[in-house]
Amino acid sequence: MMERKRYALVTGASRGIGRAVALRLAASGYAVIVNYVSNRAEAERTLGMICEAGGEGELLQFDVADNGAVQSALNGWQERHEGEYISVLVNNAGIRKDDLLMWMPEDEWRKVLSVSLDGFYNVTQPLLKNMLVGKYGRIVNIVSLSGIKGMPGQTNYSAAKGGVIAATKALAQEVAKKNVTVNAVAPGFIRTDMTGDLNEAELKKLIPAGRFGEPEEVAGAVAFLVSDDAAYITGEVISVNGGIYT
Ligand code: NAP
């Protein structure tokens, strides 16, 4: 008998951590749905890398902050994949817009909250039903050190990620009986476009491991949480930060 195809959706998979997660899940046998918001060329590169490595995937463009756009993209996917469902969701899309609160305009506050926190709701809520009916699901939210300890200059980002951590813990308890786990991975400083403007030479002095992390090191934690080995782990936050104490 042919094995049933398993689908994993990774939001913000065109670059950085999302790309590394997409590649890792594809290598574990998932058909990976590569989401992006605007950078189609990089999303196509991710898909190309998946296919080159012998994996399978497809692109699905939507802005996680736009509920209508998410619903129509997910409905379209469902129509094209009748009888199948997305059993793994990695909520990875995120942005930063740093400012001291004293100087922070409302749009910087709202935009960061809406991509991370509303994005969590917009994508997770419609996918939950099939996970519950199918009695299997894995949800992994990419949060941040900033959402655990708070970082000056990032009240918006800390609030957004802290909110997703709390939602992770609450949802985990709602769905545990149905074999759906909900966990978070909290990276510290990882070398991606998002941290390209940071002074790595200075900041790495604060990191016990003495270096920034690589996207693949975050992907490893995600792959573990998605695996059968993590079936009894839910509502947890795993830090991947080179030893920064939280
Ligand atoms: P990145 O290199 O800036 O990539 C961001 C990704 O998110 C891109 O694929 C981007 O798509 C996508 N994206 C942004 N806004 C989106 C939206 N509204 N809808 C859909 N996709 C959207 O970021 P990264 O460093 O890989 O970060 C990934 C996640 O890890 C984020 O949640 C971030 O907060 C978190 N994180 C990162 C670090 C770090 O040190 N890098 C540390 C802690 C947490 P386009 O290519 O189309 O723009």
Side-chain angles (χ1 to χ4, degrees), residues 85 129-137 177-180:
Y85 81 101
K129 187 176 167 200
N130 278 340
M131 293 187 194
L132 296 173
V133 171
K135 294 198 177 59
Y136 182 84
K177 273 216 170 67
K178 298 290 188 190
N179 206 20
V180 177

Side-chain angles (χ1 to χ4, degrees), residues 11-19 35-40 42-43 62-66 91-96 111 115-116 142-146 157 161 185-195 198 212 215:
T11 67
S14 44
R15 294 181 280 127
I17 292 170
R19 169 181 281 163
N35 163 256
Y36 66 101
V37 61
S38 57
N39 205 333
R40 187 172 180 96
E42 289 302 311
F62 56 80
D63 176 351
V64 297
D66 179 343
N91 285 306
N92 164 79
I95 56 167
R96 5 173 311 242
K111 189 72 192 148
V115 174
S116 276
I142 307 301
V143 293
S144 173
L145 170 68
S146 184
Y157 187 79
K161 297 298 192 181
V185 171
F189 294 95
I190 308 299
R191 200 173 293 118
T192 68
D193 292 348
M194 185 178 272
T195 51
L198 301 182
F212 276 21

Side-chain angles (χ1 to χ4, degrees), residues 77-130:
W77 185 90
Q78 198 61 69
E79 278 164 22
R80 294 191 298 278
H81 298 81
E82 218 190 305
E84 302 183 288
Y85 81 101
I86 296 166
S87 57
V88 172
L89 166 62
V90 183
N91 285 306
N92 164 79
I95 56 167
R96 5 173 311 242
K97 288 190 183 296
D98 299 355
D99 238 325
L100 295 173
L101 190 68
M102 172 77 193
W103 308 115
M104 187 180 291
E106 188 186 354
D107 70 305
E108 285 185 0
W109 174 264
R110 293 212 181 280
K111 189 72 192 148
V112 169
L113 265 289
S114 75
V115 174
S116 276
L117 196 52
D118 297 345
F120 161 80
Y121 170 83
N122 293 341
V123 184
T124 308
Q125 200 279 340
L127 296 183
L128 258 184
K129 187 176 167 200
N130 278 340

